[in-house]
Amino acid sequence: MRDSDWEIIDELFRNPHMSRAAASLFMTQPTLTKRLQHIERELGVRIADRTPKGLAFTPEGTYLAQRAAEHIELVNQTLRGLEDLRRATRKAITIGSSYTFNKYNLWDVLSGYAEVGDPEVRFTVVNEQSDVLWRMLLDGNVDVAFVRGDHEGPARRILVDCTQAYLVSREPVDLADLPHLPRIDFRTNIESTGLLDAWWHERFSCEMPPGMSVGFIDFVWELVARDEGYVLCFVPAKFVNDRGLCLTPLVRADGSPVVRRTWCLYPKAALPPHMESFVRYVREAASIPEGTILRPQEG
């Protein structure tokens, strides 16, 4: 029997309708019918009978369906194991990084590791928003992720950055006037947006109205410098205020700063040696103490 025959039996058992199963298997119904008949002839058993309500599996068919599920899982486990071995042999690490962390921090991390770590390790970097990277880490599509915001779930974490939110404007602005002034929106992750929305709601007891959307934060600095509006955002510690913009820290009603943490996240499972080496370097060289807030540089 072919691997595809086991897939046919498994699909028909889970979805006992020839037309629906054929669609799921990307086959025509006549082709699926002929293949099922061929399998029955090859094995010398009747797998399923047609009824007005769909297929009714025989005892032999039910047994084969159980073995089909086991076969498919064995094949998948084998392929995953081979891929893990290939990745370990290649000493490759796929890193997910949020856009801003990639611009201001990631390359310092990678160049630092290149000086003291394993020279055979090769990195692939995936840039995405933090909420997307979190899902990619859980799905095994990236090995390590540098993400903004606090994500709860099955991953180990190292705190690598902690920045404060600011009102950034061309000239000093009275916070009470913000609802009546033009605001600039930009593309960011859900966690950052949630922190800023919560600050606004606490201060003004209403939802933050939409602003002018311009894409990514780099273009926002230029618009603010032209006095096109203000922006509420988390300013990276390595941001150099060479445009002379006015940065007003955002604080809550209790006086605490609005801060966003950045974490290095990696799986809880045992890591291959080259990944363990990289994570150890991040922990020793790039982590910061809890409670530390990194301030942007002066222009």
Side-chain angles (χ1 to χ4, degrees):
M1 288 178 58
R2 308 171 184 171
D3 284 343
S4 59
D5 292 340
W6 292 112
E7 293 172 0
I8 287 172
I9 295 172
D10 179 68
E11 181 62 34
L12 286 172
F13 188 74
R14 292 186 293 106
N15 188 11
H17 300 273
M18 293 297 290
S19 59
R20 297 177 190 173
S24 298
L25 293 165
F26 301 100
M27 302 171 67
T28 65
Q29 184 171 337
T31 299
L32 177 58
T33 300
K34 289 180 181 179
R35 192 62 205 169
L36 178 60
Q37 292 171 346
H38 177 85
I39 297 170
E40 289 179 327
R41 287 196 302 270
E42 181 180 350
L43 297 177
V45 298
R46 183 76 174 168
I47 293 177
D49 297 313
R50 289 186 179 234
T51 73
K53 295 183 179 180
L55 294 178
F57 268 63
T58 65
E60 294 86 352
T62 300
Y63 171 75
L64 286 171
Q66 293 170 347
R67 299 310 300 265
E70 295 170 1
H71 176 84
I72 292 170
E73 178 59 24
L74 175 61
V75 171
N76 290 336
Q77 287 180 356
T78 302
L79 293 176
R80 287 195 297 268
L82 289 173
E83 178 59 23
D84 289 343
L85 288 173
R86 282 194 292 267
R87 292 172 66 180
T89 303
R90 288 197 306 260
K91 291 189 176 181
I93 300 177
T94 300
I95 293 180
S97 175
S98 63
Y99 295 105
T100 309
F101 189 85
N102 182 76
K103 176 178 179 179
Y104 289 103
N105 304 91
L106 179 62
W107 301 105
D108 288 342
V109 174
L110 297 185
S111 62
Y113 179 75
E115 295 179 1
V116 301
D118 186 341
E120 296 183 1
V121 174
R122 296 293 177 266
F123 294 98
T124 300
V125 177
V126 177
N127 290 141
E128 259 296 353
Q129 292 189 346
S130 292
D131 46 323
V132 175
L133 292 174
W134 170 241
R135 292 194 297 271
M136 292 180 70
L137 180 74
L138 296 181
D139 293 339
N141 295 321
V142 297
D143 300 311
V144 179
F146 291 90
V147 301
R148 308 292 195 184
D150 301 331
H151 299 261
E152 296 298 328
R156 301 184 188 277
R157 60 198 65 221
I158 303 167
L159 182 63
V160 296
D161 195 19
C162 188
T163 54
Q164 184 167 3
Y166 289 84
L167 157 66
V168 183
S169 57
R170 182 69 187 89
E171 304 293 339
V173 172
D174 188 334
L175 293 178
D177 295 334
L178 292 186
H180 312 294
L181 299 176
R183 185 174 62 83
I184 303 172
D185 267 335
F186 62 98
R187 186 179 177 188
T188 188
N189 61 78
I190 296 173
E191 290 72 23
S192 298
T193 300
L195 290 169
L196 296 173
D197 285 344
W199 174 85
W200 182 281
H201 193 275
E202 181 187 58
R203 187 170 188 92
F204 299 109
S205 300
C206 65
E207 300 297 323
M208 188 188 306
M212 176 177 62
S213 181
V214 299
F216 293 102
I217 189 65
D218 286 347
F219 186 45
V220 173
W221 311 130
E222 298 298 331
L223 293 178
V224 173
R226 295 185 212 166
D227 206 18
E228 298 290 342
Y230 71 89
V231 64
L232 302 179
C233 62
F234 294 89
V235 181
K238 292 187 178 181
F239 169 74
V240 179
N241 188 12
D242 53 7
R243 300 172 184 82
L245 303 178
C246 181
L247 274 60
T248 305
L250 300 186
V251 296
R252 298 186 179 86
D254 61 5
S256 62
V258 179
V259 297
R260 179 187 64 185
R261 289 177 285 270
T262 299
W263 301 91
C264 171
L265 303 179
Y266 57 98
K268 285 189 172 182
L271 302 177
H274 67 283
M275 283 183 57
E276 182 63 44
S277 170
F278 177 71
V279 167
R280 188 184 312 114
Y281 169 79
V282 173
R283 185 182 299 112
E284 295 173 354
S287 61
I288 65 173
E290 290 279 356
T292 302
I293 300 177
L294 304 176
R295 313 286 182 182
Q297 303 176 29
E298 296 294 330

